[in-house]
């Protein structure tokens, strides 16, 4: 076969992915095999491929492809998350550009536009994952807003409500004025920001004195309900029980005492605004203070503020400072750094706001989820992530989960409220609602005296005597938090609430691969959901395997640039993922990101960088370049083998023995490498496994083995050696396939014997066998010997192929080495030696060590004695300096006593080896002086 001189990554990737899809290789249906299941952390439907996705998806693909090669029923379920806040914002923006306001649309009309947007843009990221080589079962693609998954959310909501775990209440919550929805505590990002501290004086009612407060938010004084001082603060004892006057609006508010007040903050006097501060609200509850909400949902001031109505709160902050100054009540303004909470999604400054929301009780759920990890039912990788998990879920840190959101894009809360009476029904369908109403009517007609309060006046009681109708109820306008749908992912993607057949086969899933930043948002909550519902849905499976949704969790790190900054669009330090694939090929990018990605550790990715003019981002990466070069190396190795002429037998017995010895070494080394790769992948140390394969294939296979068996110019290779090389090459492609699927499939297709042989993606993962460690070690000596000879040639400016004579000091090890069939021929050929002899005595040749064994290289032409002497003296000087450092360590009693035994022994070995090398160098020096 005539092979092209260059490997074409783009052409190869397009060809093979289309082939895999056509053959339906990634499809999984339940059968008798062991299931190996991975669920993709569903990317936002608004998303496009970025470096975090590439890392996460590549790791999953490595694991799923290996499982497929091992003969397991590999099922990788893809999907997308509807991302309530982000998607609604994009749809609102799109409508605004068309001149349409959300407020002018009905809910159904808005959702129609949202689904149209999703259908147009929502699949972009999934198509990009295919470019990377993701071997998902695309027929199983799920979307959190599709009807079946929506139904799962509604069923779970009703179930939790019936269990008494869901409740509705008026609470202080985090409000996003940009998205105009409540946020959970975890969706608020707190960061230090530079601002101002305003000192404002309040007049004391009826007296000619003032009290001064310090605040970072002067716009909220219009909502003040009190001024609080600490009971032990003697500065304000005389003000206890008195009243102050709020500037501008002249409202009379009490001066109260409360131990929450910090004596050392500001002036020690605290303005209390219960409607706009979490802690102030608690103070207000203790002192029965009025709650005055002056903010509209969009962050502008409302009528209750009396001033600045309709103006944005941030604009008001500057204006009110000017107005207070003109009134003489702004005493001073200081620069001040404080913690500001911002919305994770919109980056808007979050406002504390009293709102009516749905909450999920988390105490028991959190305890269950924490126990599952602490008792080892679920394994975290790396294990230290347990500490973060434990900290989030310990009792004092757990808060009830606010699950409602003031949006339209999402699963509408299935709660129905009677328009007149305080009756709440939770129903998943209209039929369910009608049945519950019928049950209530039955209760009414049975004269059971159903007594409820009026919805808008709890003090009024009324016995419901008339019949109820579905027209009397209206559904809650809110939707559930996006995470309330994705926490069901391990169950809902298999339609587990509806039919447990597939859930029984695929649950629990094998491993979850995700970032540690959503450990609480998603990982912990999926664990909670798994233990909450799987025992009832699939009791026999749970009894046998466990209720956990996944056995292992592999936490990836954050992808950062060379400066350690998290990659983001705003910083302009994130590469264009698609351009990276086009530049280096999917295999090159996969290799690049895997080689830098240790579990849990941040990935320092060396692309992109900004040019000096700061005008463009260049997608350049040494890591990916190494991956691309590796693909080319594999291709060139294939071309080399393909170009060799073939004959039945080796040219002579020496060549036959040499090839057999090389084959034996490679076979033993392959099984050692296979053991290492299996061990590392079993521990999810994929970065190390990548490097092991790279070093073995590039180093041992390409650079040594193929060089050894390569026939001389215009000579042929024997059939058995070529067959062994090809079979070994195929095994290596199978091992490398999960990491670099495209180039391995291409090479495999050329190497395989016939069309009946399966494609690489469906080949079999090699079985481990015992290997001969001594043989591998002896060959390592040969490699070191040849490398030393090549190094000596370079130092002495000898041609690479100029024949030299090698003398070997006799020892048990060297005699055994050179008596091995094929070993001497191998050394002589690849080191370009004219002769090899054993010797008992000192020789005039240049002495050098390989390990503890001594060799002499005899040059057949004169060398520059003065230059050689200088080199030897410099090397002796370097080694003596190195020895001083070692002696300093070993003479340090604390080091010897406290360092691990292996470390101390290693230092002692370094000393012994260095002394031996110095001795040999001094002998060479004496020969030059003679």
């Amino acid at each position: 076969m005539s092979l092209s001189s260059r490997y074409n990554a783009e052409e190869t990737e397009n060809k093979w992915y289309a082939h895999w899809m056509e053959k339906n290789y990634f499809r999984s249906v339940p059968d008798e095999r062991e299931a190996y299941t991975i669920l993709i952390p569903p990317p936002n439907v608004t998303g496009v491929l970025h470096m975090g996705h590439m890392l996460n998806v590549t790791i999953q693909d490595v694991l799923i492809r290996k499982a497929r090669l091992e003969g397991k029923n590999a099922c990788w379920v893809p999907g997308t998350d509807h991302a309530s806040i982000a998607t609604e914002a994009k749809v609102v923006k799109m409508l605004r550009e068309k001149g349409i306001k959300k407020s002018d649309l009905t809910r159904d009309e808005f959702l129609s536009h949202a689904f149209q947007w999703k259908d147009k843009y929502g699949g972009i990221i999934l198509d990009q994952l295919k470019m990377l080589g993701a071997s998902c079962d695309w027929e199983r693609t799920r979307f959190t807003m599709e009807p079946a998954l929506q139904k799962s959310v509604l069923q779970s909501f009703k179930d939790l409500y019936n269990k008494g775990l869901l409740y509705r209440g008026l609470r202080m919550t985090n409000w996003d004025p940009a998205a105009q929805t409540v946020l959970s505590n975890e969706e608020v990002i707190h960061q230090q920001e530079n601002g101002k501290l305003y000192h404002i004086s309040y007049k004391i009612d009826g007296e000619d004195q003032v009290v001064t407060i310090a605040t970072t938010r002067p716009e909220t004084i219009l909502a003040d309900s009190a001024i609080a001082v600490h009971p032990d603060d003697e500065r304000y004892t005389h003000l206890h029980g008195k009243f102050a006057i709020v500037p501008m609006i002249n409202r009379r508010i009490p001066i109260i005492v409360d131990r929450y007040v910090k004596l050392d903050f500001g002036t020690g006097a605290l303005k209390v605004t219960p409607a706009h501060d979490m802690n102030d609200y608690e103070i207000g509850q203790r002192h029965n203070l009025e709650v005055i909400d002056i903010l509209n949902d969009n962050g502008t001031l409302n009528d209750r503020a009396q001033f600045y109505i309709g103006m944005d709160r941030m604009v008001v902050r500057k204006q009110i400072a000017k107005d207070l100054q003109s009134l003489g009540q702004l005493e001073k303004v200081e620069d001040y750094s404080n913690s500001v909470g911002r919305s994770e999604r919109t980056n808007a400054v979050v406002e504390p706001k009293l709102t009516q929301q749905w909450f999920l009780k988390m105490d028991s759920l959190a305890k269950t989820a924490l126990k599952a990890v602490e008792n080892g039912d679920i394994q975290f990788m790396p294990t230290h992530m347990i500490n973060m998990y434990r900290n989030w879920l310990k009792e004092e840190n757990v808060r009830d989960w606010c699950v409602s959101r003031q949006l339209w894009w999402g699963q509408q809360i299935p709660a129905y409220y009677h328009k007149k009476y305080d009756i709440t029904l939770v129903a998943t369908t209209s039929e369910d609602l009608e049945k519950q109403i019928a049950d209530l009517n039955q209760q009414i007609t049975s004269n059971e005296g159903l007594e409820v309060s009026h919805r808008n006046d709890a003090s009024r009681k009324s016995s419901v005597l008339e019949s109820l109708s579905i027209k009397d109820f209206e559904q809650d306008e809110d939707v559930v938090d996006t995470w309330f749908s994705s926490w069901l992912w391990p169950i809902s993607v298999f339609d587990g609430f509806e039919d447990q057949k597939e859930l029984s086969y695929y649950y629990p899933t094998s491993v979850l691969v995700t970032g540690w930043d959503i450990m609480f948002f998603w990982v912990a909550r999926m664990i909670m959901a798994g233990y909450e519902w799987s025992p009832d849905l699939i009791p026999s499976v749970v009894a046998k395997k466990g209720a956990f949704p996944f056995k292992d969790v592999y936490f990836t790190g954050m992808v950062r640039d060379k400066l350690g900054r998290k990659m983001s669009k705003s910083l302009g330090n994130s590469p264009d993922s698609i351009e990276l694939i086009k530049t280096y090929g999917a295999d090159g990018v996969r290799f690049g990101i895997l080689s830098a990605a240790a579990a849990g550790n941040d990935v320092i990715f060396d692309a992109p960088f900004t040019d000096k003019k700061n005008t463009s981002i260049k997608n350049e990466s040494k890591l990916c370049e190494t991956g691309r070069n590796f693909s080319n190396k594999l291709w060139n190795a294939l071309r080399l083998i393909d170009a060799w002429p073939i004959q039945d037998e080796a040219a002579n017995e020496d060549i036959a023995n040499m090839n057999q010895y090389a084959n034996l070494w490679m076979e033993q080394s392959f099984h050692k490498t296979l053991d290492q790769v299996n061990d590392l992948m079993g521990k999810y140390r994929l970065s190390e496994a990548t490097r092991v394969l790279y070093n073995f294939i590039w180093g041992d296979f390409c650079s040594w083995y193929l060089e050894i068996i390569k026939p001389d110019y215009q000579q042929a290779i024997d059939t058995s050696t070529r067959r062994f090389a090809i079979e070994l090459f195929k095994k290596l492609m199978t091992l490398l396939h999960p990491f670099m699927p495209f180039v391995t499939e291409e090479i495999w297709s050329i190497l395989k014997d016939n069309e009946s042989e399966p494609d690489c993606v469906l080949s079999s993962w090699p079985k481990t066998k015992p290997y001969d460690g001594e043989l591998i070690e002896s060959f390592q000596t040969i490699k070191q010997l040849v490398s030393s000879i090549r190094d000596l040639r370079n130092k002495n400016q000898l041609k690479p192929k100029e024949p030299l004579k090698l003398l070997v000091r006799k020892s048990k090890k060297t005699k055994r080495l050179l008596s091995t069939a094929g070993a001497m021929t191998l050394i002589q050929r690849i080191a370009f030696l004219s002769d090899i002899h054993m010797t008992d005595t000192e020789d005039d040749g240049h002495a050098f060590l390989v390990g503890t064994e001594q060799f002499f290289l005899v040059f057949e032409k004169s060398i520059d004695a003065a230059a050689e002497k200088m080199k030897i003296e410099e090397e002796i000087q370097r080694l003596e300096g190195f020895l001083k450092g070692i002696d300093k360590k070993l003479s340090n009693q604390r080091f010897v006593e406290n360092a691990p035994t292996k470390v101390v022994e290693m230092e002692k070995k370094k000393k012994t080896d260095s002394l031996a090398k110095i001795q040999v160098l001094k002998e060479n020096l004496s020969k030059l002086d003679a």
Side-chain angles (χ1 to χ4, degrees):
M1 178 183 292
S2 177
L3 300 176
S4 61
S5 60
R6 294 181 62 83
Y7 174 69
N8 188 320
E10 184 176 6
E11 181 182 301
T12 302
E13 289 162 11
N14 292 336
K15 176 181 73 174
W16 284 113
Y17 204 88
H19 175 79
W20 295 331
M21 292 292 286
E22 179 186 350
K23 294 293 185 180
N24 216 15
Y25 284 157
F26 308 151
R27 181 67 176 141
S28 173
V29 293
D31 58 26
E32 72 286 349
R33 292 176 295 166
E34 175 189 351
Y36 186 90
T37 315
I38 296 179
L39 310 181
I40 199 169
N44 288 351
V45 72
T46 59
V48 293
L49 192 65
H50 59 61
M51 295 307 297
H53 291 136
M54 293 176 80
L55 169 64
N56 190 280
V57 168
T58 298
I59 290 170
Q60 292 174 79
D61 197 42
V62 169
L63 297 174
I64 209 76
R65 284 181 182 271
K66 180 174 184 285
R68 194 178 288 120
L69 291 167
E70 290 174 325
K72 296 174 183 175
N73 191 343
C75 178
W76 185 11
V77 181
T80 50
D81 187 275
H82 62 279
S84 291
I85 297 176
T87 305
E88 183 148 327
K90 284 186 177 292
V91 175
V92 168
K93 181 181 178 183
M94 182 256 310
L95 291 172
R96 191 185 303 123
E97 290 170 352
K98 294 180 178 180
I100 304 171
K101 293 181 180 179
K102 177 187 172 184
S103 57
D104 293 336
L105 300 174
T106 65
R107 187 188 198 105
D108 287 341
E109 288 171 341
F110 178 81
L111 290 177
S112 176
H113 284 290
F115 273 107
Q116 288 175 26
W117 185 94
K118 177 261 176 188
D119 291 340
K120 184 175 181 179
Y121 300 106
I124 290 175
I125 191 167
L126 298 183
D127 290 336
Q128 292 174 334
L129 296 183
K130 294 174 184 177
M131 292 180 66
L132 193 60
S135 59
C136 300
D137 182 350
W138 298 107
E139 292 183 39
R140 289 185 174 275
T141 302
R142 307 308 299 261
F143 173 52
T144 50
M145 277 282 283
E146 67 178 84
L149 269 65
Q150 288 209 60
K151 188 175 180 181
S152 298
V153 172
L154 303 185
Q155 286 179 284
S156 65
F157 191 99
K158 180 181 178 180
D159 183 58
L160 292 169
Y161 179 78
N162 290 340
K163 290 175 179 176
L165 295 175
L166 269 174
Y167 64 93
R168 191 168 184 245
L170 190 66
R171 292 269 194 93
M172 283 297 291
T173 54
N174 302 298
W175 185 262
D176 182 340
Q180 295 188 42
T181 180
V182 71
L183 305 173
S184 67
N185 290 337
E186 295 75 30
E187 292 170 305
V188 180
I189 308 301
H190 293 274
Q191 55 194 32
Q192 286 295 124
E193 295 187 13
N194 295 325
K196 303 290 183 182
L197 189 64
Y198 301 83
H199 292 253
I200 303 168
S201 61
Y202 289 58
K203 295 178 181 178
I204 303 301
D205 186 31
E207 298 184 14
D208 188 20
Q209 60 174 319
V210 299
V211 59
T212 302
I213 61 93
T215 180
T216 59
R217 305 178 66 204
E219 69 277 10
T220 63
I221 68 171
L222 305 175
D224 284 351
S225 294
I227 288 178
V229 295
H230 194 281
D232 299 334
D233 193 338
E234 296 180 356
R235 292 174 295 177
Y236 300 114
T237 304
H238 66 289
L239 295 179
H240 292 185
K242 294 185 179 181
F243 291 83
I245 305 298
V246 179
M248 297 184 66
I249 56 175
N250 299 320
R251 184 168 59 244
R252 186 170 177 266
I253 57 174
I255 298 174
I256 60 175
V257 293
D258 196 286
R259 292 193 175 276
Y260 170 77
V261 180
K262 296 178 181 178
L263 294 166
D264 58 351
F265 173 76
T267 64
L270 176 74
K271 62 187 285 300
V272 183
T273 314
H276 300 293
D277 185 274
M278 300 283 187
N279 297 310
D280 287 10
Y281 179 75
E282 297 296 328
I283 295 173
Q285 291 293 292
R286 288 195 291 271
H287 296 273
N288 197 29
L289 298 177
E290 183 182 6
V291 179
I292 305 168
D293 187 349
I294 62 168
L295 290 179
N296 294 314
D297 289 349
N298 64 358
T300 59
L301 272 62
N302 61 28
D303 293 347
R304 296 195 71 184
Q306 301 183 41
F307 291 88
Y308 317 113
I309 298 169
M311 292 175 61
D312 184 82
R313 66 213 156 115
M314 297 303 178
V315 176
V316 172
R317 180 173 299 179
K318 295 179 180 179
Q319 185 59 48
I320 198 171
K322 294 178 181 178
D323 293 342
L324 287 169
Q325 188 170 31
S326 66
L327 291 172
Q329 290 185 273
L330 181 64
E331 295 185 0
K332 64 177 179 177
V333 180
E334 300 174 313
D335 290 333
Y336 187 72
S337 175
N338 67 317
S339 179
V340 176
R342 289 186 176 272
S343 167
E344 182 189 39
R345 294 299 180 194
T346 67
N347 200 43
V349 175
V350 170
E351 286 289 343
K353 189 174 177 65
L354 194 62
T355 59
Q356 187 89 352
Q357 305 292 338
W358 280 92
F359 295 89
L360 177 60
K361 296 178 183 178
M362 295 292 284
D363 290 349
S364 62
L365 294 171
K367 287 177 182 177
T368 300
L370 181 57
K371 181 181 177 182
V373 174
E374 289 190 324
N375 68 13
D377 285 348
I378 298 172
Q379 302 285 334
F380 279 5
M381 180 62 62
T383 55
H384 68 75
M385 287 294 173
I386 294 175
N387 296 328
M388 182 187 296
Y389 184 79
R390 183 184 293 118
N391 184 59
W392 276 349
L393 290 183
K394 61 185 180 183
E395 188 173 353
E396 59 268 31
N397 288 342
V398 172
R399 299 289 182 271
D400 287 353
W401 177 10
C402 178
V403 300
S404 48
R405 297 291 183 271
Q406 288 63 57
L407 302 164
W408 280 353
W409 179 244
Q411 296 93 352
Q412 190 173 358
I413 288 175
Y416 298 83
Y417 312 117
H418 194 281
K419 296 174 183 177
K420 182 178 180 182
Y421 299 117
D422 191 15
I423 301 173
T424 299
L425 300 178
V426 173
T428 58
T429 63
S430 57
E431 293 79 11
D432 182 15
L433 179 61
E434 287 178 343
K435 183 181 183 305
Q436 292 189 49
I437 292 172
D439 291 342
L440 279 175
N441 285 332
Q442 179 65 36
Q443 187 177 346
I444 293 168
T445 56
S446 299
N447 294 318
E448 295 182 16
L450 180 65
E451 188 177 86
V452 294
S453 63
H454 282 258
R455 177 160 296 281
N456 297 318
D457 187 355
S459 64
R460 294 176 61 195
K461 294 287 182 179
S462 173
S463 294
V464 180
L465 301 177
E466 72 273 17
S467 178
L468 300 175
S469 142
I470 198 168
K471 294 183 295 184
D472 300 324
F473 289 83
E474 56 188 2
Q475 188 174 357
D476 196 310
E477 284 290 313
D478 294 349
V479 299
V480 294
D481 178 14
T482 300
W483 298 105
F484 194 84
S485 60
S486 58
W487 80 320
L488 305 175
W489 198 242
I491 298 173
S492 62
V493 295
F494 299 115
D495 297 322
F497 286 97
E498 192 69 24
D499 180 351
Q500 291 76 49
K501 181 181 177 182
E502 287 207 331
L503 186 67
S504 296
Y505 180 75
Y506 290 113
Y507 191 97
T509 62
S510 303
V511 59
L512 173 70
V513 181
T514 188
W516 56 260
D517 55 326
I518 55 173
M519 182 187 291
F520 183 75
F521 283 119
W522 193 47
V523 179
R525 288 170 178 167
M526 281 193 291
I527 295 172
M528 295 174 193
Y531 279 90
E532 182 66 26
W533 284 292
S534 66
D536 294 331
L537 295 171
I538 45 173
S540 61
V541 173
V542 168
K544 183 179 179 180
K545 297 181 179 180
F548 43 82
F550 26 74
K551 181 60 182 173
D552 298 329
V553 182
Y554 179 112
F555 287 107
T556 64
M558 297 293 103
V559 183
R560 300 185 183 276
D561 65 16
K562 289 182 287 188
L563 300 179
R565 303 174 301 176
K566 184 177 178 181
M567 287 188 172
S568 69
K569 290 181 180 178
S570 59
L571 287 177
N573 65 341
S574 183
D576 184 319
S577 303
I578 303 305
E579 286 303 315
L580 275 179
I581 293 174
K582 290 179 180 178
T583 302
Y584 299 104
D587 286 329
V589 173
R590 288 166 66 112
F591 177 91
I593 199 164
L594 278 172
S595 61
N601 294 334
D602 286 347
V603 179
I604 306 301
F605 197 71
D606 61 348
F609 66 88
T610 307
D611 69 8
K612 292 180 181 179
K613 294 181 180 179
N614 199 31
T615 56
S616 64
I617 295 295
K618 299 177 181 179
N619 288 287
E620 297 184 5
S621 165
K622 291 294 183 184
L623 291 170
C624 295
E625 185 179 2
T626 301
R628 180 178 61 188
N629 292 345
F630 192 21
S631 292
N632 292 333
K633 184 73 172 179
L634 295 171
W635 185 251
N636 289 333
L638 176 67
R639 292 179 61 234
L640 180 66
I641 295 174
D642 185 66
W644 292 338
I646 309 169
Q647 63 186 26
D648 291 340
E649 302 292 337
N652 55 58
E653 186 177 354
D654 287 340
I655 298 296
N657 289 336
M658 180 188 71
N659 287 349
Q660 287 175 16
Y661 181 50
N663 290 347
L664 183 59
W665 163 64
M666 278 306 294
E667 184 176 17
Q668 304 308 304
S669 297
F670 171 80
H671 286 292
K672 180 182 179 181
T673 301
L674 177 60
D675 262 4
Q676 289 177 297
V677 171
N678 282 339
D679 179 63
L680 291 169
M681 294 187 76
K683 296 173 181 175
Y684 298 104
R685 291 160 62 178
L686 304 188
S687 179
E688 293 174 60
T690 306
R691 289 195 293 271
V692 166
L693 281 173
Y694 174 81
N695 291 334
F696 180 69
I697 296 173
W698 188 302
D700 286 355
F701 179 72
C702 294
S703 299
W704 285 95
Y705 175 69
L706 294 184
E707 184 68 24
I708 291 167
I709 66 170
K710 181 176 70 176
D712 291 335
Y713 180 64
Q714 292 188 337
Q715 297 298 308
I717 190 169
D718 63 279
T719 305
S720 63
T721 300
R722 185 179 187 277
R723 185 183 303 115
F724 178 88
I726 288 174
E727 288 304 313
L728 177 62
F729 205 167
K730 287 169 63 179
K731 288 179 184 177
L732 293 175
M733 293 303 93
T734 299
L735 287 191
L736 190 60
H737 179 79
F739 302 87
M740 302 175 73
F742 294 107
V743 67
T744 53
E745 188 71 88
E746 178 72 3
I747 291 174
W748 174 278
S749 71
I750 296 168
L751 292 174
K752 68 180 185 179
D753 293 331
N754 54 67
E755 289 304 315
S756 63
E757 198 171 354
D759 290 325
C760 189
V761 65
L762 294 185
S763 59
S764 297
W765 190 260
K767 303 293 183 184
T768 57
K769 293 180 182 178
Y771 56 86
D772 187 341
E774 285 189 9
L775 187 146
I776 296 172
E777 185 180 349
S778 68
F779 202 94
Q780 188 65 22
T781 301
I782 291 177
K783 289 166 62 179
Q784 292 172 0
L785 172 60
V786 173
S787 296
S788 296
I789 294 171
R790 290 172 177 171
D791 186 50
L792 285 169
R793 286 181 186 275
N794 291 332
K795 286 182 178 179
N796 292 284
Q797 298 179 348
L798 299 173
K799 293 179 181 179
K801 295 185 180 181
E802 181 174 333
L804 300 176
K805 181 180 178 182
L806 180 70
L807 298 176
V808 183
R809 177 68 65 83
K810 281 183 181 178
S811 71
K812 287 183 179 180
K813 187 173 182 179
T814 56
K815 286 171 69 176
R816 184 171 63 248
L817 176 65
L818 295 183
S819 64
T820 303
M824 190 175 292
T825 303
L826 190 156
I827 297 169
Q828 194 166 343
R829 279 173 59 85
I830 62 176
F832 296 101
L833 300 173
S834 60
D835 195 11
I836 301 177
H837 281 302
M838 305 292 289
T839 182
D840 289 316
T841 61
E842 293 290 336
D843 195 90
D844 291 335
H846 186 99
F848 62 97
L849 290 176
V850 175
T852 58
E853 304 305 321
Q854 195 169 36
F855 297 83
F856 304 91
L857 197 62
V858 180
F859 303 131
E860 296 183 2
K861 75 168 204 175
S862 61
I863 62 172
D864 185 339
E868 179 65 13
K869 184 178 178 181
M870 184 180 293
K871 289 178 184 177
I872 293 174
E873 288 174 340
E874 288 176 354
E875 181 62 11
I876 290 173
Q877 189 176 6
R878 187 192 69 80
L879 286 169
E880 287 176 341
F882 181 65
L883 267 175
K884 285 181 182 178
I886 295 174
D887 285 336
K888 188 176 180 180
K889 278 187 181 179
L890 293 176
S891 63
N892 186 330
Q893 197 65 26
R894 290 181 62 188
F895 171 77
V896 175
E897 291 177 356
N898 298 323
T901 304
K902 285 185 178 180
V903 174
V904 176
E905 291 303 317
M906 180 62 70
E907 293 300 317
K908 289 179 179 179
K909 185 177 185 306
K910 287 179 184 177
K911 180 176 180 177
T912 302
D913 291 346
S914 296
L915 287 170
K917 288 177 182 177
I918 290 172
Q919 179 61 34
V920 171
L921 288 168
K922 285 182 177 179
E923 290 173 4
N924 287 337
L925 195 60
S926 65
K927 291 175 185 177
L928 290 170
D929 288 334

